[in-house]
Amino acid sequence: MKTSQKFFHQLIMMYRPFENRLNVHLAEHQLYRAQWTILYYLAHNGTATLVELSHYMSVEKPTITRTVSRLEELGYVEHVPGKDKREKRMQLSDAGQKVYQDVRVTIDQYEQEILEGITEEQQIETIQIMEEIQHNIYKVRGN
């Protein structure tokens, strides 16, 4: 088997168990991965439009709309005025910031457990490799 085949096979074999276990941890906070991803984005970027979130997550806008609506119902995100009245931007509410911090503790513990034995240098190198692959995927698909 070619190295590239093993690489991508291993990536696929790792992804589902990672996401399944992540969802177990998120369920402790009544959240799902898609909701967590939006909370993460807003915590690190301040505000976003639905279009920005759909590009970030590589999903269709209606999917983002449903997820954001649920986060609004939970009181975790709120609308803020944009530069243009037609632009709907959102940000974390105070409750959203608190839940983000609470969940962050849970996720940090999980991530530390599964990174056991992997040095920071190895993590940095892997991040760079994943970023380059992601860049190449977007380049190939024309985005």
Side-chain angles (χ1 to χ4, degrees), residues 3 25 31 41-42 54 87 90 98-99 111 133 139:
T3 302
H25 289 295
L31 291 172
Y41 183 92
L42 293 174
S54 70
E87 181 181 68
M90 65 235 78
K98 180 176 181 347
V99 81
E111 290 172 350
I133 291 169
K139 192 167 59 175

Side-chain angles (χ1 to χ4, degrees), residues 60-99:
E60 299 296 321
K61 190 176 164 214
T63 303
I64 294 296
T65 301
R66 284 190 299 274
T67 306
V68 167
S69 293
R70 180 64 183 135
L71 290 170
E72 285 179 292
E73 289 170 12
L74 293 167
Y76 298 159
V77 298
E78 60 192 9
H79 289 279
V80 292
K83 298 172 197 153
D84 182 333
K85 288 189 187 263
R86 295 169 296 173
E87 181 181 68
K88 291 176 76 174
R89 297 196 73 78
M90 65 235 78
Q91 68 182 13
L92 290 179
S93 65
D94 290 342
Q97 290 174 15
K98 180 176 181 347
V99 81

Side-chain angles (χ1 to χ4, degrees), residues 8 20 58 67 70 73 75 99 108-109 112 114 116 123:
F8 287 107
N20 290 341
S58 298
T67 306
R70 180 64 183 135
E73 289 170 12
V99 81
D108 285 348
Q109 291 170 345
Q112 287 309 305
I114 64 175
E116 186 177 329
Q123 291 174 47

